[in-house]
Amino acid sequence: MAPVATAIEEQRKTDETALITGSEAIAVACKLADVDVITAYPIRPYDTVMQYVAKLVANGEMDCEYIVAEGEHSQFEIVKHASACGARVFCGSSGVGWMYAMEALTVTPALRIPMVVMVGNRALDDPGAFGVEHNDALAVRDLGWQLVWVDNAQEALDTALIAYRVAEDRRIFLPCAISCDGAFLTHSQALVKIPSQEKVNEFLPRYNRADLLLHPDNPITVAPQANEDWVMEIRRQNYAAMERTFGVIKEAYADFERILGRSYGNPFFEEYQTDDADVVLMGMGTLSTPVKVAIRQMRKQGKKVGFVRMRWFRPFAAEDLAKSLGRFSAVGVIDRDYSFGSPYLGGVLAGEVRHALYPSPGKRPPVLGFICGLGGREVTVPDVERMTDSVYKAAEGKVQPLTQWIGLRE
Amino acid sequence: MGRLFAIEIIYRGIFQKTLGKHISRSIVLAAHKEDKLGISFGRYGDSPERNGIPAKNFAIVATDEQTLEEGMAKYEPKEVDITIAVDDTLCKGVESWAWYGLQPVNRLLKPGGTLIVTSREQPEALIEMAHRKEYPYKLAIVKGTPSFSGLWVYKDDHTDVRILGAIARILPELFSLESVQKAIMDEWHDELKATSAGKSYERTTSLTVQPNQGNPEEPYRFDFPKWHEMGEGIAIPSIPAGHSFEDPTTHAVGGFRPDRNPTFKKFSTRTMRPVVNFDTCIKCTLCWLQCPDSCFDVTPDGLYDANMQACCGCGVCEAVCPVKDCVTMVNETEFRDNASQWEMWKKDKEGYKTWLEEKIKSHPERSHGFRYRGQYEEQVPEMLEIAREG
Ligand code: SF4
Ligand code: SF4
């Protein structure tokens, strides 16, 4: 091999650094994963990923079918079919665009399509605000979608690679949506390490649709109409696949660490300063930043506060989480979402956390719910301090409202 | 616990959907005239919006609320007092959209229960069509051409009330003729319908069918796979392409027989079947091309033989065949098996010719209601005759 070529080869093996947004990081992951078919339809903030993919394709850096559909429903239908034919696919949307695709989103897990998508989290209409709320992605939480939240651009890139690896595992074949908070992640650039193609190739095998491949050489009928005598068995199969995701996700993170050299610890949730914590806050996505800053300040005042950031919402690592939360005397869950009329009128995550704790054989700390940062409103350090105060009171046995709105003009 | 009555109405999708509903509804309303309680419902999974597919309605009646609840707790009753088949060709069996396999028409009948059939056939013919049952049951015929309508139109030929009159006769504990007539007046405000019910009541007789009478065949059935035995992703293997086959007389191998769905056969959807004159067939391929269910086998000698397990009796082949009387749709009551016509013809051409002519000649007009304009009107005088004479 010529020396120049060797030098290039060497360079290709080492990571590069780029200043990119979370959306762009996911676009780069698509390039590294050599995605075959991508569909797009513009909606803010998801459009940031389609714009970057378009640029990569136009620059000749990426080779894929790039289809701009006439709406989100078609956008998701096209990749669904492409995936059934053996193509690695990428798609995504935001807010009501995601909701417009809902019918396609419901059939995707049932057909065991390992679609990987990005949801640029956005408040649902009305009032047509662009800012982040998590209700869009959460709308599919019961349907067999894997849902993961990330809080920085590096994690966005890495998680996208992991998502392909898990979703396309023959034991799973379930779609995966990576949630990126609108604005905070989709529109702000950070330094991201781009792994080398060799490492990615080693980590991520080609998508093999195997026995479910829609191809003339493998004559099968996909999605025939079936009546009531088949439905429970079909649902039970999806239940089993989702049950297997726990193990497959762990395997993927372990291999990711081994091959790409970055460790995420517990894949399902991140713990911050919990070792000696009295109480913890919980949340998903980029609100981790103000929470961590506030925790460092409060610790200076002697308050031992920790933070648990849920990454994987589906599957939900209930047992692990309950075990971990049993160490603290109270928990405050910050929801950037709402579930009107739900138990204790709380947010979605708060409800899930209480649910996870109820059968726990260990200690069950009181759980307070906070609705905060809706529509992209800033979650401020004083907000976090207020929440923490209430959590401490709950820890001391003082009655606190189970759901509180924080950062509201009142 | 009080007394529970269960009645099923087996009807053909679309053509008899309204009829089925009228009957089950009126049963409950008539019983309610005697302070009984009841519900009327269709088997939801039957998909009765499909042409001719056998489907079921049920009327569950009880003497008190708790007993009714016992009856309602089941999706489909395990046994019924009366089975009503509003088309006599249903006697060959019921393969619903909702399940796989063939149910004998009399499957749910209690010992001593009654099968009521609307038919112009003699009892012997109906007994032969129905599968054998391990215990005796009764058969009653409400004489008449089976009533076929459309999804949006209802042919009010009084089949509904005549059935009600027959039930009052067969199961007086359920309701009296008087209650039936009261319910008819409430529902339809029609004296003539009440009179029809009365006439039917007077004429209804039944005879006992013994366990050694009827079709001895084992109806085909199907075992459902367990959840972990099924393919994932709602993907099912396609039916294989098919193969050539042997001529039973010349032993020549050739032609093409498509493989067919082994678990869903469709023939119980049929009320008439094509009879093919192989002597006049010009091998134009049109029937083979146009059959919506790929029913035709291409024989080694280049003819087209409609497979009677698969044929749903739509009549398209008759409509497209360019040769006069080469394909003729014949009432399904004329046949007792699903054997290959082509094989019969190959073995005995003269015998087949006689058979064919006899079938075509005697084929009482059958229809899905759409074969030609004005067909119902043509049937009216005959129906009136039956109504008058019984
Ligand atoms: S009637 Fe003729 S066209 Fe219709 S299903 Fe039967 S064979 Fe096919
Ligand atoms: S349409 Fe008639 S003539 Fe043509 S192949 Fe069929 S049976 Fe023969």
Side-chain angles (χ1 to χ4, degrees):
Chain A
M1 207 181 282
V4 177
T6 315
I8 293 169
E9 276 304 302
E10 276 311 306
Q11 199 190 346
R12 282 170 60 84
K13 281 185 194 146
T14 46
D15 295 354
E16 289 167 23
T17 301
L19 183 66
I20 50 176
T21 67
S23 310
E24 290 163 355
I26 287 184
V28 171
C30 289
K31 178 189 128 182
L32 290 167
D34 190 17
V35 172
D36 302 307
V37 178
I38 296 185
T39 54
Y41 186 80
I43 183 170
R44 208 171 143 93
Y46 147 81
D47 56 354
T48 46
V49 73
M50 66 174 263
Q51 285 163 24
Y52 203 72
V53 168
K55 189 170 151 186
L56 291 172
V57 173
N59 287 350
E61 291 179 60
M62 187 173 174
D63 178 22
C64 72
E65 290 295 328
Y66 184 82
I67 302 162
V68 181
E70 99 293 2
E72 287 86 353
H73 186 274
S74 312
Q75 198 193 342
F76 282 85
E77 278 293 324
I78 292 164
V79 285
K80 182 191 89 184
H81 286 82
S83 177
C85 298
R88 175 170 287 165
V89 299
F90 179 76
C91 189
S93 194
S94 288
V96 287
W98 175 250
M99 302 308 272
Y100 183 52
M102 187 53 103
E103 191 263 349
L105 301 182
T106 59
V107 297
T108 298
L111 298 182
R112 305 295 290 277
I113 299 292
M115 185 190 294
V116 172
V117 312
M118 184 191 97
V119 180
N121 297 121
R122 168 178 173 166
L124 296 175
D125 290 357
D126 281 331
F130 303 144
V132 52
E133 271 175 15
H134 293 163
N135 282 86
D136 50 4
L138 286 172
V140 299
R141 67 185 180 146
D142 299 326
L143 306 179
W145 277 81
Q146 303 171 85
L147 297 177
V148 57
W149 263 262
V150 296
D151 80 339
N152 64 70
Q154 184 71 59
E155 193 182 34
L157 190 156
D158 296 350
T159 305
L161 295 174
I162 290 167
Y164 278 111
R165 165 86 181 241
V166 175
E168 292 173 359
D169 190 300
R170 178 64 190 90
R171 293 166 289 178
I172 309 298
F173 274 10
L174 288 174
C176 183
I178 304 157
S179 278
C180 293
D181 286 356
F184 302 112
L185 204 45
T186 55
H187 284 68
S188 64
Q189 299 190 333
L191 289 167
V192 174
K193 284 203 173 71
I194 315 285
S196 72
Q197 189 65 56
E198 279 69 20
K199 287 182 193 170
V200 172
N201 291 350
E202 192 187 340
F203 170 71
L204 187 61
R206 290 307 308 164
Y207 171 38
N208 179 2
R209 185 85 181 138
D211 54 316
L212 299 187
L213 183 69
L214 202 53
H215 189 276
D217 293 342
N218 181 42
I220 53 170
T221 299
V222 175
Q225 190 189 18
N227 56 41
E228 69 241 18
D229 278 330
W230 298 91
V231 178
M232 271 199 81
E233 286 68 25
I234 290 166
R235 301 286 179 253
R236 182 64 180 78
Q237 292 182 331
N238 272 42
Y239 174 97
M242 191 53 102
E243 202 178 19
R244 289 191 290 266
T245 55
F246 290 105
V248 175
I249 288 171
K250 277 188 204 159
E251 275 176 31
Y253 276 84
D255 276 355
F256 189 87
E257 184 181 348
R258 182 173 58 79
I259 298 165
L260 289 102
R262 234 182 328 280
S263 167
Y264 281 92
N266 181 337
F268 300 100
F269 50 86
E270 176 201 357
E271 296 200 16
Y272 179 76
Q273 304 218 8
T274 55
D275 285 351
D276 61 343
D278 302 323
V279 300
V280 290
L281 295 170
M282 284 191 68
M284 300 196 295
T286 54
L287 57 79
S288 61
T289 309
V291 170
K292 285 175 181 173
V293 171
I295 285 175
R296 288 198 288 272
Q297 291 184 10
M298 288 187 287
R299 281 194 168 254
K300 284 186 195 136
Q301 299 152 21
K303 289 183 189 157
K304 289 186 188 156
V305 188
F307 178 55
V308 177
R309 177 173 66 92
M310 287 309 281
R311 268 194 208 101
W312 290 83
F313 184 85
R314 288 289 181 270
F316 196 96
E319 266 177 70
D320 270 12
L321 184 71
K323 209 162 145 199
S324 173
L325 296 183
R327 296 177 291 156
F328 315 114
S329 43
V331 178
V333 181
I334 311 172
D335 268 290
R336 204 161 214 165
D337 60 73
Y338 47 82
S339 179
F340 298 132
S342 67
Y344 309 110
L345 308 177
V348 175
L349 183 60
E352 298 281 296
V353 171
R354 289 197 187 99
H355 186 168
L357 278 171
Y358 192 83
S360 171
K363 202 176 89 187
R364 286 183 291 172
V367 177
L368 298 187
F370 301 103
I371 292 179
C372 190
L374 295 190
R377 176 160 298 178
E378 189 182 352
V379 178
T380 64
V381 171
D383 286 341
V384 179
E385 287 171 350
R386 263 187 70 198
M387 294 188 260
T388 309
D389 285 347
S390 186
V391 176
Y392 261 109
K393 283 185 190 141
E396 290 155 16
K398 292 188 187 128
V399 177
Q400 295 293 296
L402 288 179
T403 303
Q404 301 173 45
W405 284 60
I406 303 294
L408 179 74
R409 286 191 295 277
E410 53 186 342
Chain B
M1 177 143 150
R3 173 141 187 212
L4 187 71
F5 302 88
I7 296 179
E8 67 170 339
I9 299 100
I10 311 179
Y11 66 93
R12 292 202 176 277
I14 295 201
F15 314 125
Q16 299 185 309
K17 190 178 171 227
T18 311
L19 176 63
K21 195 180 79 187
H22 276 182
I23 296 170
S24 63
R25 209 182 124 73
S26 310
I27 290 170
V28 175
L29 291 172
H32 193 48
K33 293 279 170 231
E34 296 175 17
D35 291 332
K36 295 186 185 81
L37 303 167
I39 56 163
S40 153
F41 62 99
R43 204 179 191 290
Y44 185 64
D46 278 342
S47 204
E49 284 78 17
R50 282 162 218 274
N51 282 13
I53 192 124
K56 290 186 178 191
N57 253 38
F58 295 97
I60 309 290
V61 172
T63 47
D64 63 274
E65 214 164 309
Q66 272 199 14
T67 310
L68 180 64
E69 235 172 53
E70 309 262 340
M72 283 165 61
K74 301 175 191 86
Y75 196 59
E76 176 176 340
K78 293 276 173 291
E79 52 173 27
V80 298
D81 300 274
I82 294 178
T83 292
I84 298 155
V86 279
D87 173 25
D88 49 11
T89 55
L90 286 164
C91 287
K92 295 192 172 190
V94 180
E95 186 187 34
S96 148
W97 192 259
W99 66 76
Y100 296 75
L102 191 73
Q103 282 191 1
V105 69
N106 50 24
R107 190 181 88 127
L108 299 185
L109 273 184
K110 286 176 181 170
T114 307
L115 172 65
I116 301 178
V117 185
T118 56
S119 180
R120 300 184 54 190
E121 299 294 323
Q122 293 303 310
E124 298 70 37
L126 302 182
I127 292 169
E128 263 182 56
M129 279 190 242
H131 289 84
R132 285 184 186 189
K133 207 159 169 62
E134 61 276 24
Y135 43 74
Y137 65 96
K138 293 197 201 102
L139 171 70
I141 297 175
V142 171
K143 198 169 172 192
T145 304
S147 175
F148 274 43
S149 309
L151 189 61
W152 310 111
V153 288
Y154 182 57
K155 184 160 75 171
D156 196 2
D157 57 9
H158 295 196
T159 298
D160 41 20
V161 293
R162 294 176 69 216
I163 299 258
L164 291 176
I167 297 172
R169 185 60 176 264
I170 286 160
L171 195 59
E173 305 93 307
L174 179 63
F175 48 58
S176 64
L177 176 66
E178 201 192 341
S179 300
V180 166
Q181 288 177 324
K182 273 195 214 156
I184 290 170
M185 289 310 290
D186 280 0
E187 188 82 341
W188 287 292
H189 318 287
D190 186 342
E191 290 273 2
L192 196 59
K193 287 193 88 147
T195 310
S196 283
K199 279 204 169 170
S200 171
Y201 177 85
E202 286 159 24
R203 287 172 186 160
T204 298
T205 55
S206 63
L207 55 91
T208 300
V209 184
Q210 298 298 341
N212 61 357
Q213 291 178 286
N215 177 359
E217 272 171 22
E218 227 1 85
Y220 67 89
R221 45 189 297 282
F222 174 74
D223 288 322
F224 282 99
K226 298 190 173 71
W227 72 269
H228 47 84
E229 293 165 351
M230 286 164 50
E232 289 183 303
I234 323 182
I236 54 169
S238 297
I239 306 276
H243 45 81
S244 57
F245 60 103
E246 195 186 284
D247 183 321
T249 50
T250 64
H251 301 290
V253 174
F256 181 75
R257 176 176 289 153
D259 271 22
R260 300 191 166 92
N261 191 328
T263 49
F264 190 62
K265 307 223 182 231
K266 295 195 303 289
F267 70 81
S268 79
T269 301
R270 186 169 70 218
T271 58
M272 45 183 186
R273 70 166 67 173
V275 173
V276 180
N277 188 342
F278 299 101
D279 292 318
T280 59
C281 169
I282 56 166
K283 303 183 177 178
C284 74
T285 76
L286 280 177
C287 55
W288 174 70
L289 282 172
Q290 296 294 325
C291 171
D293 284 294
S294 309
C295 294
F296 284 91
D297 292 346
V298 185
T299 66
D301 48 358
L303 288 160
Y304 298 89
D305 184 29
N307 180 291
M308 285 302 124
Q309 295 267 322
C311 167
C312 64
C314 71
V316 165
C317 48
E318 181 197 49
V320 299
C321 179
V323 181
K324 190 175 180 302
D325 289 341
C326 178
V327 179
T328 312
M329 298 304 289
V330 175
N331 191 331
E332 186 61 23
T333 53
E334 290 297 304
F335 308 91
R336 292 292 169 271
D337 61 30
N338 287 329
S340 158
Q341 293 171 11
W342 171 75
E343 281 181 20
M344 204 199 307
W345 174 75
K346 281 301 260 192
K347 283 177 196 152
D348 176 6
K349 292 192 179 160
E350 277 311 305
Y352 184 78
K353 200 173 170 192
T354 317
W355 178 85
L356 174 109
E357 274 163 10
E358 188 255 329
K359 289 296 175 206
I360 293 177
K361 181 162 53 83
S362 75
H363 80 107
E365 189 51 64
R366 273 313 287 251
S367 83
H368 286 167
F370 307 118
R371 292 183 73 214
Y372 56 90
R373 194 176 280 271
Q375 196 178 1
Y376 287 162
E377 284 88 333
E378 279 177 19
Q379 291 171 359
V380 170
E382 204 182 338
M383 292 298 294
L384 284 176
E385 185 66 18
I386 294 166
R388 266 193 298 272
E389 306 303 326

